[in-house]
Amino acid sequence: MSKEAILSNLKTALLQNHFQDSEVKHFDNMIYDRDDLLNTYLNYQKANMANVVTSSKKSLMKDIVKIIQDEKLEDVLVAGNVLDMIDTASLSERSKAEVLVYDKSVDEMRDRLFSIKGSILHARLGVANLGILGLSTGSDNPRLASLVTNVCIVLLKKSDIVANFFEAFKILRISGKDDSLPSNIVFMAGPSRTSDIELKTVFGVHGPQSVHVVVY
């Protein structure tokens, strides 16, 4: 869209005092398979160094248990937005790990929150052409659930994979309470990483060292 067209739309919206009537246009010029968003997403998410597991509703519990056991997790923090998908008592029994539901404030859970090694949460969507996860945070999916643990397990429905960032933000911006803007919008590409002056990559400085994406 040209500069003149943008300014014209803004002028019209200001005169009407009604911005939502101005159509926002987006041109996605990236080259990827728009007819196969699932495989596009999986390939880019792997390129972002996440461990990707293709699962199903039937095998979801089994795959989560395997990740917990492979990572040798003794305790797991579970966000409220996954409680409809997994039974915490069964998860604890099968994985032999303590399961702690993240349903209280940071102050109430401080003693455990910053020592627990793994977390499980549910992404709102996946962005195919970037290979990233989009999360809207709130009481059932606290922001710290994706930040404070060494290992983060993220569940994602195949049907929630969208083509690009523009499509993702249209969904996320109304994913809060009563279709409002959520308290935070978080995009996760994979494990946290940074480099020092010698260009040595270090994982886990600003977030999880290991990210597992379970697509079902």
Side-chain angles (χ1 to χ4, degrees):
M1 183 181 290
S2 68
K3 176 182 177 181
E4 290 75 17
I6 293 172
L7 292 175
S8 176
N9 283 348
L10 287 172
K11 183 178 180 180
T12 301
L14 285 169
L15 289 173
Q16 296 175 347
N17 195 27
H18 214 214
F19 275 94
Q20 58 264 37
D21 288 341
S22 295
E23 182 182 356
V24 178
K25 295 182 180 179
H26 170 72
F27 299 96
D28 185 355
N29 295 319
M30 289 185 66
I31 299 174
Y32 61 96
D33 190 349
R34 290 166 173 78
D35 296 322
D36 190 0
L37 294 183
L38 174 59
N39 281 316
T40 297
Y41 168 77
L42 294 177
N43 290 331
Y44 279 116
Q45 185 68 82
K46 290 174 184 176
N48 283 326
M49 302 185 71
N51 303 297
V52 180
V53 177
T54 303
S55 184
S56 64
K57 286 185 178 180
K58 185 176 180 180
S59 61
L60 191 60
M61 178 71 81
K62 180 188 71 174
D63 292 327
I64 295 172
V65 168
K66 185 177 186 304
I67 294 171
I68 293 173
Q69 293 176 337
D70 289 347
E71 290 282 2
K72 298 180 172 59
L73 297 175
E74 297 180 355
D75 46 19
V76 182
L77 184 70
V78 176
N81 66 354
V82 303
L83 297 180
D84 290 339
M85 304 302 305
I86 59 174
D87 177 74
T88 55
S90 177
L91 178 64
S92 180
E93 181 181 357
R94 293 175 61 176
S95 67
K96 309 304 180 186
E98 180 187 359
V99 176
L100 180 67
V101 178
Y102 195 164
D103 58 358
K104 299 181 180 64
S105 69
V106 175
D107 290 334
E108 292 176 287
M109 300 185 68
R110 187 177 300 276
D111 291 343
R112 292 298 313 278
L113 193 59
F114 295 98
S115 63
I116 203 161
K117 301 302 181 184
S119 62
I120 306 174
L121 55 146
H122 205 294
R124 177 61 187 85
L125 51 81
V127 184
N129 69 352
L130 296 176
I132 63 175
L133 297 157
L135 296 86
S136 55
T137 65
S139 59
D140 66 339
N141 189 29
R143 184 169 180 265
L144 284 178
S146 64
L147 294 175
V148 298
T149 60
N150 291 336
V151 178
C152 187
I153 303 169
V154 187
L155 311 183
L156 174 67
K157 290 181 180 179
K158 295 175 184 177
S159 59
D160 287 337
I161 296 173
V162 299
N164 52 54
F165 190 88
F166 182 77
E167 294 298 323
F169 190 73
K170 285 200 300 184
I171 295 170
L172 289 170
R173 71 185 182 88
I174 57 170
S175 60
K177 186 177 180 181
D178 299 325
D179 296 331
S180 63
L181 191 69
S183 58
N184 284 281
I185 293 175
V186 176
F187 289 99
M188 180 187 296
S192 165
R193 58 202 138 159
T194 189
S195 294
D196 60 16
I197 196 170
E198 296 179 350
L199 302 181
K200 294 180 180 178
T201 303
V202 180
F203 289 90
V205 176
H206 309 293
Q209 295 175 346
S210 177
V211 172
H212 298 264
V213 182
V214 184
V215 183
Y216 68 96

